[in-house]
Amino acid sequence: MTSKQEFIEKLRNSSLRPTKQRINICEVLFNRDKTFHFTINDLFNLIKDKTGEKVSLATVYNTVHAFHRKGYLKEIPINSNQTYFDTNVTDHHHFFDVKEEKLIDLKNEDVGPIEIQKSIPGKKIKSVEVLVKLED
Amino acid sequence: MTSKQEFIEKLRNSSLRPTKQRINICEVLFNRDKTFHFTINDLFNLIKDKTGEKVSLATVYNTVHAFHRKGYLKEIPINSNQTYFDTNVTDHHHFFDVKEEKLIDLKNEDVGPIEIQKSIPGKKIKSVEVLVKLED
DNA sequence: TCGTTGTTTATAATTATTCTAAAGAAGATT
DNA sequence: AATCTTCTTTAGAATAATTATAAACAACGA
Ligand SMILES: [Mn+2]
Ligand SMILES: [Mn+2]
Ligand SMILES: [Zn+2]
Ligand SMILES: [Zn+2]
């Protein structure tokens, strides 16, 4: 259970003023027990459903991107027509149920450490992500 | 060095008639030594450059998708505004140079076998892909 | 309260991708 | 080879996710 004060802190850290709309976005994003995988469209609809107030799509996009830049949200590489985000910003891997179009977290122990034996001169590793696609 | 006969065979296998345009597409896609990572737009421009003949964008999209359906091309999951394809259709992993927006193949031995210890009832694993993002 | 700066929103713009339908080419049949 | 049928190419329109714009509005510090 996350408090409104924490939302305000996250917003301030992201150089965003705590407005009613942004607090509502935070409510849907961060007031949860488990990790939340979503598209902008998912989020947009959940805000209406959960708070009863509509936030414009532009504000949802802008706020999500600010949180992403700040590291409060993670972008999950999936080939889909929509971009997927994740409230679990730790390094972790995913199942992607292709039929349901749903992401499921994999614990690191379910995959094990991944040692990359190759390197590219002048480049360093930023992230290592495993995506396991599921079918019926 | 792949021959025109092989292109025709690939096309026929994909239920496509071997037209001049599709042969040109094959020329750019498959007449290579090493694996080729590309977006539709890359391919579209390379066809003009390499064959001197323009193929319509719609035909490029349609042909790439037919090859993809048939398994002659692989789609690489990347969050980009454009979809990436790969002529290497074997199971393998990638570096993605975020700045250059370039994919680089990783040999399986550079990553090692990946054992997924978790399973979802009613679902089976379709693919396991590692994406290693690179920064400067 | 006032002034400044940042925010929201409807709406337009952008861009990758897909669709459409008319003109053209491939393959089969004679 | 001429003809018929089916598939293909293409320009342009349609779609859909995302981003940009700019006018009305709200947060905040003085
Ligand atoms: Mn982003
Ligand atoms: Mn495809
Ligand atoms: Zn996750
Ligand atoms: Zn590859």
Side-chain angles (χ1 to χ4, degrees):
Chain A
M1 188 53 68
T2 319
S3 81
K4 185 162 167 179
Q5 272 316 307
E6 294 176 61
F7 301 158
I8 293 176
E9 197 184 317
K10 278 195 162 76
L11 288 166
R12 287 245 137 85
N13 288 341
S14 309
S15 313
L16 298 178
R17 285 184 184 170
T19 62
K20 176 162 59 71
Q21 289 88 339
R22 287 170 177 162
I23 300 282
N24 283 342
I25 293 172
C26 286
E27 208 68 64
V28 176
L29 282 179
F30 303 121
N31 196 357
R32 315 188 156 255
D33 306 319
K34 18 187 179 335
T35 187
F36 176 41
H37 300 109
F38 65 94
T39 65
I40 296 286
N41 204 55
D42 293 336
L43 180 56
F44 178 72
N45 290 124
L46 281 173
I47 292 163
K48 278 184 296 196
D49 295 351
K50 288 202 175 173
T51 73
E53 305 184 85
K54 187 203 164 192
V55 175
S56 78
L57 197 52
T59 296
V60 177
Y61 270 101
N62 291 336
T63 306
V64 164
H65 281 140
F67 282 151
H68 179 234
R69 273 195 304 279
K70 185 62 186 180
Y72 288 133
L73 291 174
K74 192 177 177 16
E75 197 177 340
I76 307 299
I78 298 271
N79 277 117
S80 162
N81 47 331
Q82 292 183 102
T83 303
Y84 277 80
F85 294 92
D86 193 338
T87 54
N88 179 354
V89 296
T90 68
D91 260 317
H92 68 286
H93 312 297
H94 293 92
F95 279 135
F96 184 63
D97 184 328
V98 175
K99 192 189 191 185
E100 306 285 336
E101 295 191 302
K102 282 266 162 47
L103 282 163
I104 302 165
D105 274 1
L106 275 166
K107 299 198 188 84
N108 282 339
E109 69 228 48
D110 291 333
V111 174
I114 303 196
E115 302 283 339
I116 306 299
Q117 307 292 358
K118 188 182 183 184
S119 64
I120 304 288
K123 302 284 175 180
K124 60 184 183 223
I125 290 175
K126 184 186 189 183
S127 67
V128 177
E129 314 243 35
V130 178
L131 180 67
V132 181
K133 287 194 181 157
L134 295 178
E135 63 190 347
D136 293 306
Chain B
M1 187 54 68
T2 320
S3 81
K4 185 162 167 180
Q5 273 316 307
E6 294 177 61
F7 300 157
I8 293 177
E9 197 183 317
K10 278 195 162 77
L11 287 167
R12 287 245 136 87
N13 288 340
S14 309
S15 313
L16 297 178
R17 286 183 184 170
T19 62
K20 178 162 56 72
Q21 289 87 340
R22 287 169 177 163
I23 300 282
N24 283 342
I25 293 173
C26 286
E27 209 66 67
V28 176
L29 283 179
F30 303 122
N31 196 358
R32 315 186 156 257
D33 305 319
K34 20 189 179 334
T35 187
F36 176 41
H37 300 110
F38 64 95
T39 65
I40 296 286
N41 203 55
D42 294 336
L43 181 55
F44 178 73
N45 290 125
L46 281 173
I47 292 163
K48 280 184 296 196
D49 295 351
K50 289 202 175 173
T51 72
E53 307 184 83
K54 187 203 163 193
V55 175
S56 79
L57 197 52
T59 296
V60 178
Y61 270 101
N62 290 337
T63 305
V64 164
H65 281 140
F67 281 151
H68 180 235
R69 272 195 304 278
K70 186 62 187 180
Y72 288 133
L73 291 173
K74 192 177 177 17
E75 197 177 341
I76 307 299
I78 298 272
N79 277 117
S80 162
N81 48 331
Q82 291 184 100
T83 303
Y84 277 80
F85 293 92
D86 193 337
T87 54
N88 178 354
V89 297
T90 68
D91 260 316
H92 68 287
H93 312 297
H94 294 92
F95 279 135
F96 183 64
D97 184 329
V98 175
K99 192 189 192 185
E100 307 283 337
E101 294 191 302
K102 282 266 161 45
L103 281 164
I104 302 165
D105 273 1
L106 275 165
K107 299 197 187 85
N108 282 339
E109 69 227 49
D110 292 332
V111 174
I114 301 192
E115 302 284 338
I116 306 298
Q117 307 292 359
K118 189 183 182 183
S119 64
I120 304 287
K123 302 285 175 179
K124 59 184 184 226
I125 289 175
K126 184 185 189 182
S127 67
V128 177
E129 315 244 35
V130 179
L131 180 68
V132 182
K133 287 194 181 160
L134 295 178
E135 62 190 349
D136 292 306

